[in-house]
Amino acid sequence: MSISSCLSRLLKEGKISQKQADDARSIFDGVLNEGLQQQMDQATAEGYAALKAAEILESTAQAKKVELARRMALYNSNIDRINAHPNGPLAGFMGLFDRDIRNAPSVDRQNVTSLEREFYQPQIAQKMHAADEAYRSKAAGLKQDVAGVRNMIGELFGVKSGDAIASKAAAGWKAATDWGTKRAENLGKVFDTAEDWRLPQFWDSARVSKFGDASFKTDLQKHIDAGGVKVFDPETGRMVGGADQARVIDQASKNIRKDLSSGVGPGSIFKDEQRVFRFQEGQRGSDAYLELMDKYGPGQGRYFAMMQNHAEKMGRELAMLHVLGPGFRSSSEQLLKDAINEDAERALQPSGKNAFEKIGDGLLKMVGLEGRTAAKRMQQYMTGQLSGVEGDTFAGVMQGARSFMTATNMGSAIVTAIPSDTVNWAMAANFRGLNMGRLTAAITDQLFKDIPDKEAFASRLGIVAHASSRAALATKQYGDQLVGSGVFQRMADFVVRAQGLHAWDQAINRAFTMEFMASIAERSGKAFGDLDAPFARFMKDYGFTEADWAKLSAGETMSAGAARFLMPDRLDDDIRAKLMSAVGDEKQFAYLAGGSNRVRALTTGGVKGGTLGGDAARSFFMFKSFPISMLATHGVRAAQEAADGQWGQAAQLGLFMTMAGAVALQAKQVLQGKDPQQMKDPFFWGEAAAQGGALGIYGDFLKEGFSRSGTSLTEAAIGPLAQIPASVQRLTSSARRAAEQGDHFNFGAALADDIQRYTPGSTIWYTRLLANRFLFDNIRKQVDPDYAGSFGRQRETAQRLHGQDFWWAPGESAPSAAPNLTSGFR
């Protein structure tokens, strides 16, 4: 009896389901297509395939049982964890996905965000270090070995390129994906036979639509005929040909052009087309992959960025499996329902909280960091339901506009970043008893010293660059999660890197983790009860037991210079995951630019991009992420300490951030050609306090109704994208009023202002003043008939509002004097 007849009989008798029958046929066909028919006669090949299919089905059934058991065990433990949270089930639920904002002491505070960034991503990065070192963008994003990446892809298909670097990089990438696959299986994931983490298929709906359905099918068929691509029915998993093949290709083309798979998002790295088109080993598969991806995918030059994104999504999926188990989307949806129901039950009872605690709860809900809406938004964001876009054209325009505003506004962000970040990491380190001198030295070394094997050493310590730094997403205090494409995104990327912001972020990111590892090594050998108070509190807050400390204390260390470091890659997985998740949580206090997924979920507005509401939210929150992150970290910590009668954190936060703001404010003045502001003026300290909290632009409104760049308070509150239509409005409506009323309107002065304001890169701190004096001042002289009056008004405004003089005044070809650094004390 043939396998087909056997399955039909079992299906008819109700002994197996239709899906089981389809799975068996798919596996049987897959085994037959491995080339068995060329090595055996037909009967032997079919018999072997039938036996193999039975074995696979049996092992899959067992794996499914394990998957279900793990899913239920994690669900029950997560319910207990959520309900045990002292601030309620919704706070506990959000703590599964991101750092517990309330810092409630707990036996288990591991969360998806910190596990992804500090446990899974570093291990993936460690294995693909050779690829990252060879092919990541360099020279402020202007340089990349594009040809080498293509050789690496060929090597992954088994095509020897003769390129030793590409071969090593491919081996590293394969090691990373093999490790990820094995780890996912250990976490209970049952892989479908069609799932392949080797290389992603990134079909671009806009590109397929641009070249057309007929062109796409023709190019695809060429490689099918050549043997480079095989087509499988995504419903049955069976390889198809003839009319069935045409049907499957037609549907896949429609799905790509409609971008139906974009909703998969970071919750899973698999798309339907990855199950449909299987690129074969060897030269034919390599040629097919590169030619089709060149034309219909990321295009030449963007392969490594695509692979980095693929690796990051792999890390996200592993972290989701770790915390929530298989079927994490449906499990998290049910956990959310349970948390909302339990929260509603508790709301009927007296809370027992004092007025201070109730105000704090209300503030966090008002901002959107806690509550039912925040919890739902977090679940949707983390499982990928807010990924993708509803309308490609609208999303592309808005993303491009946000990238453009970054390129034109963010060139001096590092001037504010250095003093405020220094306060952040200093307070974070002091709170946990880390060595401030060693941390400062480590940041300096990471920033300025060319240390051999610095990348490799960081990887061994479990440190990896976050995507926000790697792809111009770390727009620092003001950063939105920019994902714009094309020329504007590359402009934004260049501006972020060229000013040194990327290097500064990386220095903090690495040094803080290094100092944690050094602090543990320094304390190794001490009894658990003899640990100093700040570090003992860290142990208690994250649920480390005496047995846990014994494992950490006995961990292997490595010397580098005068310091010893605990090597997390030598720890067992369980204790390493617990440690690195805790370090990741603490790093959110030191490295606010790394970003909290809680804050990122908030900035989506709970709506996909490509919609009016979704892009309005993303634009509104652009340049506002940092103050929200400050509230969610040091702000909440200071409030909790104050509630316990400890006001030191609040006092330090207010004092040091104001001082940091003052340093940044005065540095900006000097870099713009002005002497420092008068610091005896009370308004200066109001501006400094706002600047230190990343609300610098709002400090400008303390004395007048406009910022120094000419924007109104309304424009600043709505977001930077409001500047563009406001500029157009100022030009057109003012000219119209002048024509109607006979008043003079200096169109040239307004045009000169806008040219200066909207030239990408014009605000980079070390070229800004030169560009203003030698480029934009001369443009103003050409288009502004009253340019002398405009220059004079700039000087008058600085003197009137802030008691400042210019050391290099507008319109002058050379400085009149050196900056008077003591003028602020007059």
Side-chain angles (χ1 to χ4, degrees), residues 511-534:
F512 194 78
T513 302
M514 288 172 64
E515 175 51 31
F516 248 106
M517 298 303 109
S519 291
I520 294 172
E522 183 179 51
R523 292 170 172 84
S524 63
K526 284 189 175 183
F528 190 61
D530 293 337
L531 292 172
D532 53 289

Side-chain angles (χ1 to χ4, degrees), residues 693-714:
L695 295 172
I697 190 172
Y698 297 102
D700 293 345
F701 299 106
L702 292 174
K703 279 197 169 183
E704 64 173 348
F706 292 89
S707 73
R708 290 168 219 204
S709 63
T711 57
S712 68
L713 178 60
T714 302

Side-chain angles (χ1 to χ4, degrees), residues 19 23 26 64 189-197 199-201 203 229-240 248-249 252 255-256 261 264 267-280 317:
K19 186 176 186 312
D23 286 346
S26 173
K64 286 287 186 183
K189 181 177 178 63
V190 178
F191 278 86
D192 183 273
T193 54
E195 293 179 334
D196 181 2
W197 280 8
L199 274 173
Q201 293 180 36
W203 301 101
V229 181
K230 290 184 180 179
V231 181
F232 287 73
D233 189 327
E235 299 297 325
T236 66
R238 300 172 67 182
M239 191 173 75
V240 292
V248 169
I249 292 174
N255 289 345
I256 292 170
S261 60
V264 173
S268 174
I269 65 173
F270 301 116
K271 294 187 176 184
D272 287 342
E273 293 72 43
Q274 199 137 325
R275 307 173 194 274
V276 174
F277 305 123
R278 314 277 182 80
F279 292 91
Q280 303 305 294
E317 185 159 354

